[in-house]
Amino acid sequence: MPLIGPKEMFAAAYAGHYAVGAFNVNNMEIVQGIMQAASAEKSPVILQVSAGARKYAGQTYIMKLVEAALAEDPEVPVVVHLDHGPDFDMCAACIDGGFTSVMIDGSHLPYEENVALTQKVVDYAHARGVWVEAELGKLAGVEEHVSSAEHVYTDPAQAVDFVERTGCDSLAIAIGTSHGAYKFKGEARLDFDRLEEISRRLPEYPLVLHGASSVPQEFVEACNQYGGKVGGARGVPEDMLRRAASLGVCKINVDTDIRLALTASIRKHFVEHPEDFDPRAYLKPAREAVKNMVAHKIRNVMGSSGKA
Ligand code: G3H
Ligand code: 13P
Ligand code: ZN
C-alpha cells in the first residue's frame, strides 16, 4: 500500500470511537519497532517526524526508512506527518518531499497570526492534496520552538472560528496534557467538559491530543534501577486516553513512551552485559521493547487493532 493521507483513517476512527496512534520516529530501530507492532496488530499508524528528528536523521533518510517500512509491511496503512511544523517553509519542504500530512504549529502566536499562518499552509497543502493539522491553545512545557509555563486551554468558540477561517483539517487542542515525562504534579486531570464542548461544536471533526504519553512506571523504574535519573515522571492514565478517543480525538501523539522504552532496555542491557559493545546486541532488544510498548498502546489505548 502506498502512503496515504489521514482522511479515511480519521473518518473510520471517528465513527468507531477509536484513535490512530501517531508515533514519533527518529531512527531505523524506532520505525521498525512501530511498524512491527502495527503489522502484528493489523492497525493503521501515523509515523510523525518533528523538526528535531528531521534535523537529526535528515528528511531523505527518514523518507527512505518510511519507504522501506511500506515495502516490508505493505498491508499497514501509513501516514507520514510533520509534527509541530514551526513555519511555512518547513511545511512546504515536507509537502514537496512526499509527506501526506503536516502540522503547522502557530499555537504560540497571537490568534490572528496563527490564523494567517495556518491559512497560508492550508492553501499550499490543499493545492497538493496534503492534510493540515493546526493547534489552538497552549500545552504547558517545552517543545523545540514553543515553550509555555502555563496551560492555555483551547476555547471552544474560538476553535470553531479557527477551523472555519483557516480550513485546517484537524485541530490539536489543549485540555491539560503536556509534552515530556513530567505531566502532572498532583492527580492527573484532563478537562473532559471542554473536550466534549469542542467536540459538540465541531461535529464529525477530528481532534488531536498531543502530550499523550502514559509514562509507564515499569520503564521509569527500570531506567532508575539501571543508573538513570527520571524521578517523579508521570503521564496520562490510559483510561483517560480511551475516553478522549470516544469524544472526537482521532489522533493520539506518543513520543516520550518510545524514548522511555528504548532507554530502559538499553540501560538494563549495559548493566547486565558490561562486556558488550556491539550496537546490535543492545539495539535489538531495544527495538523489541518499542514494538511491545506500541503494540500494547494500539490494543489497549488507541483501540485500533484490526482496523487496517
Ligand atoms: O512534541 C514534541 C515531540 O516529542 C518531539 O520532540 O522536538 O525533541 O523531536 P523533539
Ligand atoms: P509525549 O511527550 O507525551 O509523548 O507527546 C508527544 C507529542 O505530542 C508529539 O507531538
Ligand atoms: Zn506534540
Side-chain angles (χ1 to χ4, degrees):
M1 194 185 290
L3 278 175
I4 57 169
K7 193 175 192 305
E8 283 79 25
M9 215 182 245
F10 287 171
Y14 194 99
H17 298 291
Y18 63 89
V20 180
F23 300 99
N24 285 73
V25 298
N26 288 282
N27 66 11
M28 182 185 78
E29 285 76 12
I30 293 174
V31 172
Q32 289 175 330
I34 295 164
M35 286 301 294
Q36 286 167 10
S39 176
E41 290 296 320
K42 300 188 172 20
S43 170
V45 75
I46 298 170
L47 301 178
Q48 61 182 8
V49 184
S50 70
R54 194 169 166 270
K55 194 170 165 196
Y56 171 76
Q59 183 169 310
T60 307
Y61 266 93
I62 294 271
M63 288 310 275
K64 293 292 175 189
L65 287 173
V66 172
E67 198 183 301
L70 294 173
E72 285 286 314
D73 294 297
E75 76 291 356
V76 177
V78 180
V79 164
V80 65
H81 171 80
L82 171 65
D83 188 30
H84 294 284
D87 52 35
F88 173 83
D89 287 350
M90 195 179 294
C91 290
C94 289
I95 291 165
D96 295 344
F99 282 51
T100 54
S101 176
V102 294
M103 175 188 190
I104 177 67
D105 184 356
S107 62
H108 55 296
L109 297 171
Y111 183 68
E112 289 300 330
E113 288 178 37
N114 189 2
V115 169
L117 176 61
T118 303
Q119 272 170 347
K120 189 175 171 194
V121 172
V122 166
D123 284 348
Y124 191 86
H126 285 184
R128 291 155 182 82
V130 171
W131 185 274
V132 179
E133 173 184 325
E135 179 165 334
L136 189 62
K138 274 189 207 145
L139 274 62
V142 183
E143 297 157 29
E144 191 157 331
H145 71 293
V146 181
S147 99
S148 173
E150 296 290 338
H151 295 287
V152 180
Y153 286 8
T154 308
D155 177 73
Q158 201 176 48
V160 175
D161 181 70
F162 187 85
V163 168
E164 278 172 0
R165 286 176 61 197
T166 63
C168 64
D169 302 294
S170 53
L171 186 68
I173 52 164
I175 57 165
T177 61
S178 58
H179 292 102
Y182 306 93
K183 298 190 193 297
F184 301 102
K185 289 203 180 79
E187 199 187 329
R189 198 190 148 271
L190 299 186
D191 190 344
F192 281 104
D193 290 345
R194 185 176 297 269
L195 173 57
E196 271 182 49
E197 184 58 17
I198 296 169
S199 198
R200 194 184 64 75
R201 289 181 189 231
L202 289 169
E204 312 281 314
Y205 189 84
L207 301 173
V208 178
L209 203 58
H210 282 248
S213 277
S214 293
V215 187
Q217 292 304 299
E218 62 183 289
F219 302 138
V220 173
E221 281 158 21
C223 281
N224 290 333
Q225 181 184 344
Y226 296 106
K229 217 175 189 181
V230 283
R234 306 248 327 261
V236 184
E238 293 184 348
D239 59 326
M240 288 193 183
L241 297 170
R242 291 290 308 127
R243 187 169 166 206
S246 73
L247 292 169
V249 169
C250 295
K251 173 173 177 273
I252 291 184
N253 285 9
V254 175
D255 187 0
T256 296
D257 288 353
I258 297 172
R259 299 178 181 196
L260 287 169
L262 199 77
T263 302
S265 171
I266 292 173
R267 281 198 176 283
K268 180 169 188 283
H269 189 93
F270 281 164
V271 170
E272 291 180 349
H273 306 278
E275 72 288 358
D276 266 355
F277 55 88
D278 179 344
R280 293 168 299 189
Y282 54 86
L283 290 177
K284 192 173 171 198
R287 177 173 61 190
E288 190 70 11
V290 171
K291 177 189 169 186
N292 293 337
M293 186 280 291
V294 172
H296 166 87
K297 187 103 30 194
I298 286 173
R299 211 168 32 242
N300 300 305
V301 179
M302 309 300 163
S304 64
S305 297
K307 308 291 188 188

